[in-house]
Amino acid sequence: PPPAAGPYAPPPPPVSQGPIPGSIQDFVINAGDRVYFDFDSYDIRADAGPVLDAQAAWLQRYTGVTVRIEGNADERGTREYNLALGARRANAIRDYLVGRGVSASRIATISYGKEQPIDGGATEEAYQRNRNGHTAITAGAQ
């Protein structure tokens, strides 16, 4: 039955507002914060283009936000090789965003190589998740 009306009626349920515009949560939900790479590659994949385009549009809307692009690799290969590969991946993402109008001065890059996996497994699926570039907001978000 419908809720009772009058002075003793329960309050209506809260309305979901979604993420605060310009917040880190807004960026993650509406743009996406991670793209993936093929094995031993730093080429931007076709499936990463829409995510990076959304990131660029979001960053152009919120011009006070700065980001750090974190390049990551799977556990295969030497530490040194994977640090270099992670750096190339981070730079590829930065170059893509700059090419879409985001000021390079708002973007820092770092490589974690294989040192910060998001999946500790040793399967091909885990390796695929660990070959990524993560865009982290460092300042300016709501």
Side-chain angles (χ1 to χ4, degrees), residues 23-90:
S23 67
I24 293 173
Q25 184 182 25
D26 178 41
F27 179 75
V28 172
I29 291 171
N30 294 312
D33 65 339
R34 196 175 302 269
V35 296
Y36 297 90
F37 291 88
D38 291 329
F39 176 72
D40 198 29
S41 173
Y42 57 94
D43 293 331
I44 301 295
R45 296 183 347 186
D47 63 344
V51 174
L52 296 176
D53 289 341
Q55 286 185 12
W58 194 95
L59 289 166
Q60 287 173 336
R61 183 172 181 184
Y62 300 102
T63 58
V65 172
T66 59
V67 296
R68 178 182 60 241
I69 309 297
E70 303 166 346
N72 299 285
D74 64 38
E75 68 179 37
R76 297 173 289 183
T78 66
R79 181 178 187 278
E80 294 77 18
Y81 181 82
N82 283 321
L83 281 170
L85 181 58
R88 289 191 296 273
R89 288 174 174 168

Side-chain angles (χ1 to χ4, degrees), residues 79-115:
R79 181 178 187 278
E80 294 77 18
Y81 181 82
N82 283 321
L83 281 170
L85 181 58
R88 289 191 296 273
R89 288 174 174 168
N91 288 331
I93 293 169
R94 183 198 62 216
D95 293 347
Y96 189 100
L97 294 175
V98 169
R100 298 303 186 276
V102 179
S103 172
S105 66
R106 297 172 54 202
I107 305 170
T109 61
I110 189 169
S111 174
Y112 291 122
K114 61 182 179 179
E115 304 303 318

